[in-house]
């Protein structure tokens, strides 16, 4: 009996010892950044080494990362970028999926590659045949050192069709351009969903207005929406109709519609949300 009791106690101690590990900060903590560009979700998962007083990029034994040598572009298992749709990276077609970012640092420019196989930190497994895209980008020297390696998805364009993969560490920085396309997907969505839900007319009309796509159809959708129930009182959507008419060159109708929107905004008890000025600005631009 004593032997069994001792055995149970030993098992408890072993189990406790296996689970009772001390948590300490990682030298290169994990990082992640994600952003939607157009309809594409771009995510970068990576590990963030620190400068820690070291010389990072250069040639010679005193530098951590050597110029002109292939690098995993991060620490630990490297850096993984994921695209939810097909994109263009530095003008090259890249399919939706996961890629490891691999680079060759240089004094004045870097080579940045998307590798289809996840090779972690073992650059011996790098294969040129597995490179989905390669970009040669100019380096930007930073005035202030960035302590922790940092990726961002920056410079998203006003029309949501492009952005940059932005790397910074120590005094080095580079950007790789990414382009996305969503027009065909939106057009397909519009064709399907406006048939089953009239509430989608406004979204479709707004998209056509922004894209300059078939303004006659955009006007038809907006007229159909405003004719439903109390929708004609929605001065913000009446204003969109005025914008469509203005873009079609129908100045007289656009001014009349903008005035209608302005009157309704003035009489709205909860406030005009800036539509009095928007309508006046539109009217002034058409005179």
């Amino acid at each position: 009996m004593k032997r069994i009791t001792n055995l149970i106690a030993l098992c408890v101690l072993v189990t406790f010892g296996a689970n009772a590990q001390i948590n300490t900060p990682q030298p290169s903590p994990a990082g992640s950044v994600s952003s939607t560009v157009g309809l594409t979700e771009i995510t970068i998962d990576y590990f963030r080494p620190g400068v820690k007083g070291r010389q990072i990029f250069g040639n010679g034994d005193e530098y951590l990362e050597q110029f002109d040598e292939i690098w995993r572009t991060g620490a630990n298992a490297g850096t993984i970028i994921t695209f939810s749709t097909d994109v263009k990276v530095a003008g090259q077609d890249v399919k939706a999926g996961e890629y490891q970012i691999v680079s060759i640092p240089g004094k004045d420019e870097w080579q940045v590659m998307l590798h289809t196989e996840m090779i972690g930190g073992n650059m011996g497994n790098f294969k040129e045949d597995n490179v989905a895209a390669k970009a040669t980008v100019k380096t930007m020297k930073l005035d202030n050192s960035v302590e922790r390696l940092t990726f961002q998805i920056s410079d998203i364009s006003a029309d949501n069709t492009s952005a940059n993969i932005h790397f910074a560490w120590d005094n080095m920085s580079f950007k790789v351009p990414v382009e996305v396309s969503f027009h065909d997907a939106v057009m397909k969505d519009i064709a399907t969903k406006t048939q089953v839900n009239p509430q989608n007319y406004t979204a479709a009309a707004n998209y056509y207005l922004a894209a300059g796509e078939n303004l006659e159809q955009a006007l038809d959708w907006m007229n159909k929406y405003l004719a439903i129930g109390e929708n004609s009182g929605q001065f913000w959507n009446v204003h969109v109709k005025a914008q469509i008419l203005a873009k079609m060159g129908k100045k007289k109708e656009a001014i009349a519609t903008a005035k209608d929107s302005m009157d309704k905004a003035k009489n709205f008890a909860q406030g005009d949300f800036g539509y009095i000025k928007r309508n006046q600005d539109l009217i002034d631009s058409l005179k």
Side-chain angles (χ1 to χ4, degrees), residues 51 140-148 150 166-173:
V51 174
M140 297 176 286
K141 297 294 178 66
L142 302 175
D143 293 332
N144 298 313
S145 176
V146 175
E147 174 61 30
R148 290 280 175 188
T150 301
H166 188 179
F167 166 96
W169 190 28
D170 193 17
N171 63 345
M172 284 281 190
S173 179

Side-chain angles (χ1 to χ4, degrees), residues 71-237:
W71 180 44
R72 59 186 149 177
T73 324
N76 301 344
T79 298
I80 307 300
I81 189 166
T82 306
F83 304 106
S84 66
T85 71
D86 296 352
V87 299
K88 285 184 180 292
V89 176
Q92 300 155 71
D93 291 329
V94 173
K95 294 291 186 182
E98 292 186 347
Y99 301 87
Q100 182 166 344
I101 298 178
V102 178
S103 63
I104 300 176
K107 180 181 178 181
D108 299 314
E109 60 184 25
W110 285 40
Q111 286 188 39
V112 183
M113 295 161 280
L114 301 187
H115 199 265
T116 57
E117 299 297 322
M118 305 303 112
I119 55 178
N122 188 353
M123 294 299 98
N125 289 332
F126 171 84
K127 295 180 180 178
E128 191 73 35
D129 289 345
N130 290 333
V131 173
K134 179 189 291 186
T136 300
V137 293
K138 294 292 183 182
T139 57
M140 297 176 286
K141 297 294 178 66
L142 302 175
D143 293 332
N144 298 313
S145 176
V146 175
E147 174 61 30
R148 290 280 175 188
L149 186 152
T150 301
F151 274 99
Q152 299 180 62
I153 300 162
S154 66
D155 309 312
I156 298 175
S157 63
D159 62 1
N160 245 324
T161 61
S162 65
N164 283 316
I165 301 165
H166 188 179
F167 166 96
W169 190 28
D170 193 17
N171 63 345
M172 284 281 190
S173 179
F174 66 76
K175 294 181 179 181
V176 179
V178 178
E179 298 171 70
V180 302
S181 177
F182 51 81
H183 184 68
D184 290 345
V186 172
M187 296 295 284
K188 183 178 179 181
D189 222 24
I190 287 172
T192 302
K193 294 179 179 177
T194 52
Q195 295 178 24
V196 297
N197 185 359
Q199 297 299 321
N200 288 318
Y201 286 151
T202 57
N206 270 286
Y207 182 79
Y208 270 35
L209 172 62
E213 181 88 27
N214 195 344
L215 295 174
E216 289 284 355
Q217 178 64 79
L219 181 62
D220 180 62
W221 277 327
M222 189 55 73
N223 282 332
K224 285 180 178 178
Y225 176 79
L226 293 172
I228 299 171
E230 303 289 324
N231 290 352
S232 61
Q234 296 177 3
F235 54 85
W236 51 94
N237 283 320

Side-chain angles (χ1 to χ4, degrees), residues 34-95:
S34 179
S35 183
T36 301
V37 183
L39 297 177
T40 303
E41 188 75 14
I42 303 176
T43 302
I44 304 174
D45 296 303
Y46 64 111
F47 294 90
R48 309 184 64 194
V51 174
K52 301 177 183 178
R54 301 175 292 185
Q55 297 189 76
I56 304 301
F57 299 109
N59 287 121
D61 294 340
E62 67 271 28
Y63 292 97
L64 181 66
E65 305 299 341
Q66 300 294 307
F67 286 152
D68 305 319
E69 291 187 10
I70 195 164
W71 180 44
R72 59 186 149 177
T73 324
N76 301 344
T79 298
I80 307 300
I81 189 166
T82 306
F83 304 106
S84 66
T85 71
D86 296 352
V87 299
K88 285 184 180 292
V89 176
Q92 300 155 71
D93 291 329
V94 173
K95 294 291 186 182

